[in-house]
Structures are given as C-alpha cells and as structure tokens.
Amino acid sequence: MVVGGGICGMQSALDLANSGFKVYLVEETTSIGGRMSQLDKTFPTNDCSMCMLSPKLIEVDKHLNIEILSNSQVQSVEGETGNFNVKVLKKPRYVDIEKCSSCGDCFDVCPVDLINEFEQGLNTYKAINKRYPQAIPSAVAISKSARPPCKLTCPAGCNGQGYVALISKGKYLEALDHIKQWIPLPAVLGRICHHPCEQECNRNEVDQPVAIAPLKRFAADIVRQKRKDGEIPPEEKPVIDKSKPKVAVVGAGPSGLTCAHELVKLGYPVAVFERDAAPGGQLWSAIPKYRLPKDVLAADIKDIVDLGIDLKLNAPVNGQNGLEALKKQGYKAIYLAIGAQKSRSLPIPGVDLPRVLLALDFLRDVNQGKKVDIGNRVVVIGGGNVAMDVARTARRLGAEDVTAICLECAGEMPAHPWEIEEAVAEGVKIMNSWGPTEIVSKNGSVAGVAFQKCTSVFDGEGKFSPTFDESVTTSVDGDTVIIAIGQATDLSVLPEKTGVKTTRGGWLIVDPLTLATEEEGIFAGGDGVTGPKSAVEAIKHGHEAAVSIDRYLSGLDLGEGREPKQEEPAPLPEGKHEKKPRLGTKYIALGKRLSGFDEIVTALTEEEAIKEAERCLDCGLCSECLQCVAVCQAKAIDHDMKEEEVELQVGSVVLAPGFEPFDAKIKSEYGYGRMANVLTSLDFERVLSASGPFQGQVLRLSDGRHPVKVAWIQCVGSRDQTCGRDYCSSVCCMYATKEAIIAREHESTVQPTIFYNDIRAFGKGFERYYESAKSKFGVRYVKGIPSGVKELQQSQNLLIEYTGEDGRKIQEEFDMVVLSIGLQPSASTRELAAKLGIERDRFGFCRTDELAPNITSHDGIYVAGAFDAPMDIPESVMSASSAACLAAREIADVRGTLVTEKEYPPEKDITKEEPRVGVFVCRCGSNIARVVDVPGVAEYASTLPNVVHAEENLYTCSTDTQSKIINAIKEKGLNRVVVASCSPRTHEPLFQDTIREGCLNKFLFEMANIRDQCSWVHASHMPEATKKAKDLVRMAVARATTLEPLFEHPAEVKRRGLVIGGGLSGMTAALEMAGQGYEVVLVEREKELGGNLWRIRYTADGADPQALLASLVEQVEKEPKITLYRGAEVKNISGYLGNYTAEIITKSGESINVEHGVVILATGGTEYKPAEYLYGQSDKVLTQLELEEKIAGGSDDVSKLNSVVMIQCVGSREEEHMYCSRVCCTQAVNNAIKLKELNPDTEVYILYRDIRTYGMNELLYRQAREKGVTFIRYDVENKPDVSEENGKLTVTVYDPVLGAEVELMPDMLVLSVAIRPQADAEDFASRLKLPLTQDGFYMEAHMKLRPLDFVNEGMYLCGLAHSPRFISESIVQARGAVSRALTILSRPYLMVGGVVSVVDADRCVACLTCVRSCPFGVPRINEDGVAYIEAAACQGCGICASQCPRKAITVQHYKDEQVTALTAVLAGS
Amino acid sequence: MEVSYYPGCSIEGVAREYGESVEAVARMLGIDLKELKDWTCCGAASAHATDDMLALALPARNLETADKTGLDLVTPCAACYSRLKHADKALRAGEKIEGVSDGYRGDFSIKHLVDFIWEELGEKAILEKLKKPLRDLKAVCYYGCLITRPPRVTDAGNPDNPESMDNILQTLGAEVKNWSYKTDCCGADHALTMPEVAWKLVQKLFDMAGEAGADAIVVACPLCHSNLDTHQEEVSAQAGKRYQIPIFYFTELMGLAFGDSGAEKWFGRHFVDPRPLLRQKGLL
C-alpha cells in the first residue's frame, strides 16, 4: 500500500506495480497528483509541471495493478510485515467514478460557488467540481460539509440553502420545485412561517440571518407571475392510478393538504373532506389577511388541488356516519387532519356577556368579511400569536385603544418577538404579568376587565402553574373583551365507538413516529394531535402521514428506518465574512397598515432577492439542490453515498503523504491575508500557470495591474525559531529563483528582487540556474530578510525596509510581494503517524536513522518524500523508488502472485480485406453536442468512402458504448474504428483496448479530437465548429483506411544485474538486488571495496560510517547471488534493454563476457586536490576530510589549536566548475562543532559565500553559531588571501558586513574542497555511450521525474557519479536505482516492436545520418553494411525516419502515406 | 460588571482627559471600575531601564492587591499594561520578586481597556449607547508598541494588526482607515533624551496617517498621546512641513458618540485643538 498520491506516492506505486506487485494507492483528496499539480514550471529545466505530471497520472490510472482509493484515509495498520491488515476510511465522493465521464455538465447548473482551494483561493469553483482538468480519477466530486442549520432546523426538513442558492443564480423555477418537495404551500409559508431556520442561520453570528422565508415567498410569487405571463409552462400533473386504493383526508388545512399532495404525486386517488366552505383550515379562518392575502392562499391551494385531488367542501365528517361511511365508500386509509379550531374560554365571571368574544370566532368572522362591532376600546386577554393577531385586527377594525394583557412577563410571552414588535408598532398596548379575575359589566354591557398580579407562570419544572398576588390588582376599561388563551380540537369527527384514542386534554393519540392511531387504517396529525402549533409543523405531519399511508397500503413496515437522526449542523464557515445588511422585511407605511387589511410586508424585487440570496454563506458547501442529479445524463451522482470502511491485506506500506505549505498568516508582519498584493509562493505558482485563474498573466490582486517591481522574501516559516520551524525547507531558494525567471519570461517588464539569507542552490544544475537568473534574467538578490511589509493605502503598493551594502537603511516600494513559504507535515499526516505509532521529530517529520533512510520506527512501514524531510521533486522521486525497493524486498517471494493481466480473444486477420470503417461520434453529454451538430457529423461520416457504419453516442467512453463498438465490429464486419470525441492523450488506450476485445489489432484505431480542439475552443462559432468536426472526422477516416496491424513480440530478459563500482552506492545496490532474489555482478576497479566511504569517519548525527562499511563488505562477500570482481574493469557494454553483454577485464587481465538485463552505474566521484590556498605547500593547510581523519584519530594537536580558519567553496561555484558540492557546508559546520567540543577556546572562523546547510542540517549551523563559531562572508570576486611567513599562516578576507578587511592568523587552515567526477569519467562514458553534464557528472534521463534512469533504457545511476551528496542520499539513490531496475528484471520477457522504426536494407546507403541523429544511440551499421535498428531499443520517436535522406527508414503506424492521407483529404475539401 | 482598575500615574497628570473620559464611558457602559487600593507607580518610564528587580517589583505589588480581589484587572495605559503583564508572567513562572509574598493565585485576567471593551462588551453594548454616530470622521487607530508586543508577554493574537480599537471606532460610525503603522513605535521613551529621533518616528506616523486618508489619529495610551500631540510644532520644524493633526483618546470619541456632556471639555486640553475638525464634521 502506498499512502499519498503525489508525485512521490505515484512513483512508489508505479515502481512496485511495474515490478510485479498489486498496489493500493490511498489518497486523501479526490484526486492524485499532489502539490506538483499546482506548480507552474519546475527548476532548473523550466519544464511545465503539469505536462510532466500528466502522463504519470494516466499511467497510474490505467495501470491494471494499481487501485486508487481517493478521498480515503488510513485508519489503522495492524499485523506485521508481510501480513498487514489495513483499515481505510473511504469518504463519500457522491459521484460514481465508473459512471462519471467528467463532462462537466454539472458545473454549469451548480448554484454554489466555493473558494477554489486548488487555485489557492484566487478564484471560485462549484460545489461539484474537479480539482483540475487532468485530475485522476477522472471524475468530478462534490464538496460537502455537515448539513446546514437551516435545513436541519426546519420542522418539515425544507432545504433552505438549496433554494436560496438557486435563487442567487436566478433559477426561480428550480428553487420553487425544490421548495415544493417539502412545502406544498410555498407562497403561504413564505409569508407566515415562523422560520426557525432563520433563528439558527449561521449568518446570525456575522450580522443578521438570511431572509430565508421571504426568499421562499419571492420564488413562489415570481414563478406564479411568470406562469401567468406564459414565460414558464404550467406544472406537470401526476398520473393518478385508479386501481390504487383510495385515500380520504379529513380537513383541508396545511397538514391535510400536504398529505393529499404527497399521495396524489404517488398516484393515489385522494379525496379531501372539508367542513368549511373554503379550504385552508386556520390559514383561511384565523390568519388575518394583512399577513396572508386570501388570493395567495387560494392560489397555492389551487395548485395542489389541480394535481387531481377531489376536494369536497362543506363536507363535514361527523360521528357514527362519518368515518364508517368513508370506509364503506372504499377509502382504504384515512388521515385525520382536523386541526384545533375551537377557542378556549376563561372560567371567570362575566364571560357570558355580549361582546366577550373568543379569538378564533372573532378572527373567522372578520376573515369572512362579517361585520363585527367591537367599539373603541378592546381588551385582549392572552399573549400568544393569536392574541397579537386579534389585537392588530381590532386596531384595523377601528378600535383606538387596544390592550393585550397576559400572565407572562415580557421575556416569557409565547408570541414571536417580531409579532409583538409589529403589534406595538401598530399601537397595541401590552401589559405583562396580570391574570384576569372578572369581566366587569355595566348595564349588562362589558365595561372592562379586573386583574390580579401574576407572580409566576411556570413552576420549577417549567409546567404551566401560575401563582398570583391577590393584593395587587388593576383593571382595564373596554367595550369588547376578546379571549385568546388557547385552543381545542373538535372531536365530533369521532364516532362513539372508535379505536382512535384521545388525551385528557382532548387531543388525538398517535404513534409519534408513524402517526397511526390505534384503529387500523386511520392516521392523524397536525394541530388535532399536537395542539396548536405552527403551519410548518402541521406540514411535517402531512408528509409523515403520507409516508405511513403509502407504506400501509403497500403492506410495508410503517416504522422501519424512520427513527429521527441526530445530525450536528454545519458551523459558520471559516474566514472573514463581510457584513451585508439583510433585505427582506420591509413594511408598508404605518398609516396604510392600519387603514385596512393590505399585506404589510412588501415583496422583494428580483434584484433584492438575488442580493439577499447571495448573503447565504453556503454552510453545507454543496446545497443539495440536486440540479446536478437532474442534468447528469450518465446518472453518476448519488447524494446519499455514505462513507465506508474497507479492510485490505497488504505486505508492506509506503508513506508518502507529502507536505503542506507553511501558513503565512503566522508571520503576520508580512501582511499575508491582509494586504492584497502579498502572495505566497504557491499562490504565485497559480498566478503564473497558464491554466491558472489569470491564464498565466502576472497580475496584482488589488487592481489587476501588471506589477513591475516584485519582491520575494525567503525563509517565511523556515530557519525561524520564532515560529518553531528552525529547519531549512530546502526548496524555496530555487523555486523563488524559478518564479522570478518565469515571471520575467511572462512579462518582460517585471523587475524581480529576492531577499534572502543564503541562496541554497545545492542540487544538480542549481548553481548554474542561479547564476543565469542573475546574469541572464536580471534577478536582483539582496542579502537580508526584511522584518516586515508595510502597505500604502492609495496604491496598495508595499514598502520593504532593508539594509543596503553600505549598512544604511533603505526603504523600497514594490508592486507585489511573494512570500517564499516553507514546507511542513500536514495536520492529517501527523494524525496518521500518531495512529500508526510512527516516531516523529519535534517538527513532525518522520524520524529516520541517518544511515538507514526511509525506514520508520514501525517495521514494514517506509517513508518517502517530504514527510521524511523537506525535499524537491527529484529527491522525492528518488526517495519514492528507494522506499518502493524496501517495500518490495519484504515480499519479494510473492512477486507476481497478485498481478492482473488482461486476456484477449484471438485477433482477426484483416490484411486481405477492403477497409470497412466504423465511426463513433461522441456527444460527451452536452460538452460536444451543445456546440457541434453531432447527429449531423455522424450522418456526414456515414457518407465518407469506406465507412460502413456511423453512429452517435452520449458518452463513447461509457461501458455500454464500449460493448456497442465491439458488437458493431462483429455485426458490421468493421476492420477499422474511428472515434470522434476527446483527447487521445487520455482515451486512446481505452478505445484501443476495446477494439482489441473486438478481435481487431489495436493499431487499427484512429481518433478525432472534436472536443478539446473543437467544441471547447469554438463555442461561439457553432456552424464553423460543426464544419471543423466534419473535417477532423474525414481526416481520421482517411488515415484509418491506411492503417495496418502491427505486432509486438516477446523478447527474453536476462535476469541478472550488473553493478559498476563497489563503493557505498554500488555495494548497497548489489545487496538490494540480490536481496530481491536476482543475480548480480559487482565490478570494483580497486582492490578493496568501499570507495570514498573509507575516508568518512563520522556523520552529523554521530553515526559510524566505518561500521557501516565493514558490515556492507562482509555482506557482499557472503552473498551467494553476488559475483564480485575486485581490481577489475568494465571495458564495454553491448546489447539493449533486457539483453546486455558486458566485457569485463579481470584483475589478472583476463577478458570475460557477462550477460545481464540491466546496469547500475555507481562509479563514484573524487575529492578535489586544490592548487590554491597553499595546499600541499604548507602542512598547516588541510582538507575537511583530512581534518576529520585527525579528529577521529584522537590526535592531541587538534584539541590544542588556538585558532582555525575554514574556507568554503574551494573548487566549487566558480566559472570552470559552476556547481555546488552540497556537503561541504555541513561538513565544515560539523567539524567546527567537533573542534569546539574538543576545546571550547579554539577560535573557529568559517569563511563562506552562502551557508548551505539545507534541511535539518540547519540545526547544526545554529548549534555552531551558539558554540561561538564565527562566520565571515566573502564574495567570489574577493576571495581570501592566504600567506605563510616563518611558519605562521595569515588569512586576509574582506568582510562586507564590517566593510573592512579582517586578518586572521590561524594555526590551521581547512579547505572545504569540491567533489569532482572521476578523472576518467569522460572516457568511460564515451565507451558506454552515456551522456555527461557540463560538469562531468553522468546525466540522467530527466532531471525531475527520471533522476535515476539513463536515457538508454535498462541503465541506471546512483551515488557520486550522479552528483555530490551525503551518505544517506547515496543509499537512497542506490536503492532507488534497484527499484527502477526491478521494473525490468522482474519480467521474464518484454514486448518489443509496434511503433518502431524499420530500415529498408535495399535503400540504405549507410550514410550514418540515423546513427548520428538518434538521441538514444540505437541505429548501428550491421555486418551487412546497412543500418540496423533494434526493435527492443527503439523508442519510436521517428527522428531517424524524418532525417533519412534515402527514405530508407519508416516509423510503423506513421508511414508517409498514413500521414499524407490526412492532409490530402483536408486539402481536397 | 465589576473590574479592578489600575489607572496609572499619567491619568492623574498629563492625561487627565483620558482618565475622565475612561470613567465616563465606563459608567455609561455599566462597567464598575474598582480602583486598586493604594496603587503605586508601575515604573514604566524608568524602572525597567534601571533595575530589573524594581521593574518587576513595582507592578507586582499592584498585582498582589488585584489578586486579593480576584476581579479582572483593567488599565487604560499601554505602558502600565505592559509592566503589569511582565510582572504577571514572572509571578506565574514562580519567580521570586523582592517585597512580594508567595502565594500569587493569578486567577484573573489583565486587559488593556481597549481590548476589554471590545472583547467583553462588544458591538451590541456600544450600539445601545450610541447617540451621535461619528459619521465622516476619517481616522486611523494607533495602538503603539506596547499593547501587543512582545506577544509572549501580552498574549496578543495578532500582534501586528490589532483590531479592537478599529472595531470600536467603526461601531461608533467613524470611517476607520486601514494602515500598516498601527503598532510602530512612536519613540515616546526617547521624547526627552533624544527628541529628534522621536520626532522622526512621529513624523512617519503623521505622513502615513495622511497617506491612508485620515484626518485624525486615535490612541489608547497616554505616552503615545503626549508624544504625538505635544510635539507637532517641533516635528513640523524638523520636517519642514506643517503638521496639525488632532490626536484623540478612543474613550474621548466614545464619550462624544455616547453624547456625554463632558466631551468638549476634554478636547480643550489637547495641544492640537481637535474641536475645529469635530465642528466641521458636525460632531460638536
């Protein structure tokens, strides 16, 4: 198992899978590719990161033996090496990877814009998204957090975020349809719902809640209007299935109507029985018109009834006849939604007086337009919402003095706060904490009400139990008293004998989950069950009842799976949320409010509604509006996917979880996150990227202007104790240099400045790159890290203060600042390591032993890449291969046992047939079809010569279309197949495989790219795009007719390795290879094994290299699989991949031939013997290795030294040798510490140019400074001067910080000398036809992604032959090289042939053009005197074919006539 | 809400208007300032430059008193705040301090008044008292170097960009300008010994406040105030251009916005008279 799908994890997985193992690749995000996918170019070659990565992604994706587990996390690893049981948590992607064709149709309909993390927040992407276009697995994914509080709070479960998001994008009909899934009365509820969703809205924490309810009203109203205007078609009606059992609903209030609505949509015949003359229940009778206009109510109800409900008005269901009669009429289920329509009265004297009214009766009369005489003064008893409605209605009827008086104190009133506020605004007086004792009369008429003080309403348990103080009384005068203290239900619906039970308070008793009464087939809900509650709660009951009735009538279990779930709502999303005032509750003028029953809250305008909807913070990320589901033609989306835990059996584990960038906000002095034009280096990568948010233009975030002066600040979150990151992140100096160069390449006006501590260009080719940045690209390097960045408010430019060369403070203005942020293990990596019990250092990096790299504290688990230590891409790739080597060794004996190889039916011979071409044109969902006339193209294709079949498909890559292609081959006798769809880069292998399954040779396939190169780029020119698509198809068909079958044949692999060089790297490689079960021939030209390792006495960590050396030599000598030649040399190597022959001259001068399949070159390097600084002339001048020898030897002299000077970069980083020797700074610092430990009084001076103690070596540098080692910088133009007089050394050096010369008189001068290639490297390389770099080290196939391979396949390199490096790094390379070699050695044979160059011997004149032009050195002149190209070695690049002046060479599959066939038909058009 | 109150010496001398406005605003916001009994100088101006032990002992003595009350301790002076926090850290670390007995419990927090008002009372409490929004008043908030720094002593979450004063002023309706100089040093410590250095630092603040579009600078420290307010003529002379920038205590503006009748009197004590500006904005 490989954990982490970045470049490192991918390399490990590929090495393992290519050497015969089944690999699970576990990736935390939804796609592999890691950080490298975010980078623009890479140093030092300026290659495009994505272009390099993309083929690797596809290789991993298509690999039969790699299974990608994306969106997954390792939970635990149990067991032991060779037999681990791993639990992996697979998080839901909500998209079926198999079905999704990644067409992106869903992006267009998704209403939710989220901060695009891949683009570093520089733009947004949709909640359904693909991290980047080339992402693998090539399927979209949905970003979801927990469900939003609005949805979870709604009693009916209505998804507020969903419809609000849709409204924000102007999708009103979609919003309304969404609302109606839960709320069948949207215009009503949009007005009168008490919207608990808004109380819980997370936006409350920022300013005010989103106007969720008013937006519902808006959606309902605007769609109704647009339907009226004919802009939107009427709602579709369900088909009612007359054969289904009939259902009766009693009561046409919100609950009854909802139940009927749901059931009719399921096809049930439903009748609703309403005793009143109009439907709506209390919505009709009790809610005043100023809150809910009657036409709105009627329209909402009409929409429901029009679905096909049989609404019976004035149809009371009473007593014995009622329910029984319904049953007799054939209603198989009945829902009692009878409400709570009766007002309760008070048991006090005077309630029988005229003008003592009950609230609901009063409201009903007013609503029906009856004239109700109430006089001028009205006393309302009660403090609930009904009381407020009553009081406000009374005001509208002309009563000037209206008082609502209640038991509760102000904070306890049951009415909603806004109802009270509105009432007070309308002049209603509120009196709290009074209980009525009597309605006072005068002359038989009401005169007022007497009250006593209420001291408390609820008892200790919160139950209603009022207490009074009789001694405190008051009275209120009034002409009318209206009692609004509670409601009751009318139970006359029930017959005398019934199974339906009621409570003592007179409410119906039901099963709370299913709403079933105790009588079979009778269900009940709404206020009749719960007592007076809100409309939305009644609606909730309506839904539940419908579910129960459907299950009851279908004979299913009523309760199953309906237990309420406790879900934690999504919190307020992180980040700063700008305050924006709420729009939504605007009232009409007060005078107008009181003069009639006009609706008091005005409607949102369209503009306001969108603005208000945009205030939603998308708490749940995905809004679950389900638009994607509707649009996805592949049916790939499943919002109900759950996370699952899988258990896997694996033999070993490679951890390659990578790094996360340092959070630049921690270094707040640099203003990141606060100043618009301060970016991080990763942000800047996206700015530079051609596929990034600015299409590669360098722009400022504040104003979109092109910046001129751009500054980089190095070491942000590196080499910095103040933020707990003392280590060096190793890569930042180089990436900053690269970014500066590329920025200039993008905009020549950019003037880059890099503020740095030390430029650490220590890798292969880095120094030259750094030099070119200065000399060729004008990058200015300023030594010193600024302490902060200031921002100018007018220009948003940035001020940086630094010290100039002359020691004076300089303040400089920049247009943009880029922070070079460091690397650190991510939080999830730390968690993973903790779960697995992997030891880490104090920074969180994996702890490994210096001489045992990649090996964690947990047996069988190996670490690779940036979790080990900060490192760049090539180091990660080498580390990946090294870890793969270790992981394979554990289970080498089961290699090949779990691999899958595909079996195919026999191929059909078509050579004698006329071409019969089948053309498959892809719609790609709507990706192609919305621009290109796909049926037209298919039709056109069918008219082309040789085409015998043409069709169009929704997705040509889908599994069903694959079978259609195979069938067509068989049924129509196709012998060539053309697919017109997307890019062959991603899809050609798939289709080739398909036709091979259809018994055709895979080379009889051709592709036309009518998506990426047509519909995507010509969206605004549809007719022309169709014409171009036809051209492309015609060309593809023309070429297809010329295609011929090609065959690959197996070539045996000599399963033996040759390792050249018996130093640390060579011995390590030989042992690893032998350990994996392969024979090795190890050739060392010296008499002893060991090479440079002999001279290294200690390491920075205090490990013992000599013990390692002894152990390696012993193991090599003992290993039976290793054939060792000491004192021998490899003279020549001939042959090709898998089949080489080496000529070895042994110690005795004998020449022997060894056959082998692969070569690992580990020929090492050598220490430079300086000609400068009196070396060799004075015995006081030593090299670092010589000093090391003395220290390790325990020589007394070294502890008695008064003063030691060390000079760095002797023979490195100069015109002739423009490379850094990488190890010398650490070596010097380490030796300096040793000297200080031996004698703290020894003065040690290190004269340096840049201290390059990268990675954890930085800690040594700090330690040396703390111990008092003095560091003096010098410039290369001003090197130190060394002289000796009378046996006394004098070192003079100009110190730029002091601005003066310093004269030192040391007892010893130690030179940090360069590492050089072997003296005979050039000669050896030319014999083996291997390339060298400018500096004489061997050159790898590719600096970034193939660092251990030679271009010549089957040849690998490691150790100092590659470049200068530390012991641990050499070990990594040696193992890595073995891992690469195993991808060949593990196979018994290789398939060769196919797309390769073939020589026509008759035409060849042996002019050597091909021999000279082949970059791989494959063609040679054979015994017959003509060119010969070994198929096994040929890469099929075609250079020789294009160069051959006699046209004697052709590349198979790209013959001249095959290429000209394309152009001929294009020209012919 | 009861809190211990350490006013500091400046409040009784050069910064009387600060002291009065602090008391007035606290009263209106319902903060009951319990002045520490028998408090002494914290030694900010000179003790820490003279004697390490004295620098801790002076504030520690006051902390001992606060410790007994157990109430959270609030001070309006940045320098006092810094010294109190230093001593508190030392006491918590168990350092022996001369003249201070063992047994410091320290179960109270020490806050600068500006943080206290924003963090403990916040937007709602301020809006409730707001009578006269400071509309059109363009200001930058200047915190100086001691309220947030060093963060290991002050525990400031965002030492380079504190926001409590900005938030308060914004809530009061002022047009608070963003700038990068909130916590730059004004050189007050050198105002007497090396005045030309201090003036240069002050000049930079004036220039950058102007660049940010501010008409005034708002402070929360008597030392900053006196350094910024009293030397504008010298700064002008040294810079060769005329500066006349009103410097407000944030509490003065709170008092003004809350409609306190004493506000005008406080402004009368400034070297640079802020009243013309306030009149021009219709705030007086």
Side-chain angles (χ1 to χ4, degrees), chain A residues 579 668 790-791 793-794, chain B residues 123 160-161 180 184 211:
Chain A
K579 288 189 180 189
S668 65
K790 304 273 191 205
E791 186 187 45
Q793 302 306 310
Q794 305 302 319
Chain B
E123 187 177 6
D160 296 288
N161 188 37
S180 287
D184 272 38
E211 195 272 339

Side-chain angles (χ1 to χ4, degrees), chain A residues 1405-1418:
Chain A
V1405 294
C1407 68
L1408 296 181
T1409 305
C1410 55
V1411 176
R1412 291 196 193 97
S1413 61
C1414 176
F1416 307 98
V1418 177

Side-chain angles (χ1 to χ4, degrees), chain A residues 613-639:
Chain A
E614 285 171 346
R615 289 178 69 237
C616 175
L617 298 168
D618 305 315
C619 304
L621 305 182
C622 165
S623 72
E624 297 193 334
C625 69
L626 308 186
Q627 296 300 302
C628 50
V629 178
V631 81
C632 179
Q633 299 176 47
K635 307 261 171 278
I637 297 165
D638 175 6
H639 280 270

Side-chain angles (χ1 to χ4, degrees), chain A residues 594-874:
Chain A
L594 291 176
S595 66
F597 282 84
D598 287 353
E599 182 166 18
I600 63 165
V601 178
T602 60
L604 284 165
T605 64
E606 199 171 335
E607 197 186 330
E608 285 170 339
I610 289 175
K611 224 166 147 189
E612 179 60 22
E614 285 171 346
R615 289 178 69 237
C616 175
L617 298 168
D618 305 315
C619 304
L621 305 182
C622 165
S623 72
E624 297 193 334
C625 69
L626 308 186
Q627 296 300 302
C628 50
V629 178
V631 81
C632 179
Q633 299 176 47
K635 307 261 171 278
I637 297 165
D638 175 6
H639 280 270
D640 294 324
M641 264 187 198
K642 299 275 181 296
E643 62 180 24
E644 54 174 320
E645 195 176 74
V646 292
E647 275 189 46
L648 303 168
Q649 306 298 320
V650 303
S652 48
V653 179
V654 174
L655 293 184
F659 68 92
E660 70 177 9
F662 172 76
D663 177 5
K665 287 192 180 133
I666 292 173
K667 296 289 287 178
S668 65
E669 60 267 40
Y670 294 134
Y672 183 67
R674 203 154 35 94
M675 303 175 190
N677 297 319
V678 176
L679 310 185
T680 68
S681 41
L682 200 52
D683 299 346
F684 197 68
E685 292 286 340
R686 297 314 303 158
V687 169
L688 286 178
S689 172
S691 60
F694 308 147
Q695 286 85 44
Q697 292 189 79
V698 184
L699 301 176
R700 307 205 317 163
L701 262 55
S702 67
D703 52 13
R705 204 160 56 72
H706 295 269
V708 176
K709 294 184 72 176
V710 182
W712 276 257
I713 298 177
Q714 297 305 107
C715 300
V716 178
S718 296
R719 304 180 67 183
D720 185 351
Q721 262 188 323
T722 65
C723 59
R725 286 153 183 94
D726 318 6
Y727 57 88
C728 161
S729 288
S730 302
V731 300
C732 329
C733 286
M734 292 312 295
Y735 74 55
T737 297
K738 174 207 67 182
E739 288 177 355
I741 289 175
I742 303 296
R744 263 195 73 109
E745 285 199 334
H746 285 215
E747 324 266 348
S748 58
T749 46
V750 168
Q751 298 170 15
T753 303
I754 298 181
F755 291 95
Y756 72 102
N757 254 327
D758 296 279
I759 286 296
R760 295 191 162 166
F762 56 86
K764 198 171 183 178
F766 293 2
E767 186 68 25
R768 226 174 267 283
Y769 192 67
Y770 166 44
E771 282 301 318
S772 79
K774 286 190 285 188
S775 58
K776 255 174 71 188
F777 294 94
V779 180
R780 181 171 68 131
Y781 288 82
V782 176
K783 181 150 171 85
I785 301 286
S787 62
V789 174
K790 304 273 191 205
E791 186 187 45
L792 290 173
Q793 302 306 310
Q794 305 302 319
S795 58
Q796 306 254 281
N797 281 355
L798 303 153
L799 292 177
I800 289 180
E801 215 169 69
Y802 61 96
T803 312
E805 282 292 317
D806 57 359
R808 288 169 66 106
K809 251 193 198 169
I810 301 171
Q811 195 178 55
E812 198 172 323
E813 201 171 321
F814 291 91
D815 299 307
M816 185 187 262
V817 170
V818 182
L819 305 178
S820 292
I821 46 173
L823 277 51
Q824 62 189 31
S826 72
S828 68
T829 300
R830 287 164 207 236
E831 238 174 75
L832 170 70
K835 270 190 238 166
L836 270 47
I838 305 274
E839 279 180 28
R840 283 146 291 151
D841 67 15
R842 68 186 162 100
F843 309 112
F845 291 101
C846 185
R847 201 188 284 284
T848 53
D849 191 89
E850 205 188 356
L851 300 184
N854 302 107
I855 297 176
T856 72
S857 59
H858 192 306
D859 274 349
I861 300 184
Y862 304 97
V863 63
F867 176 39
D868 188 4
M871 59 178 78
D872 60 16
I873 294 169

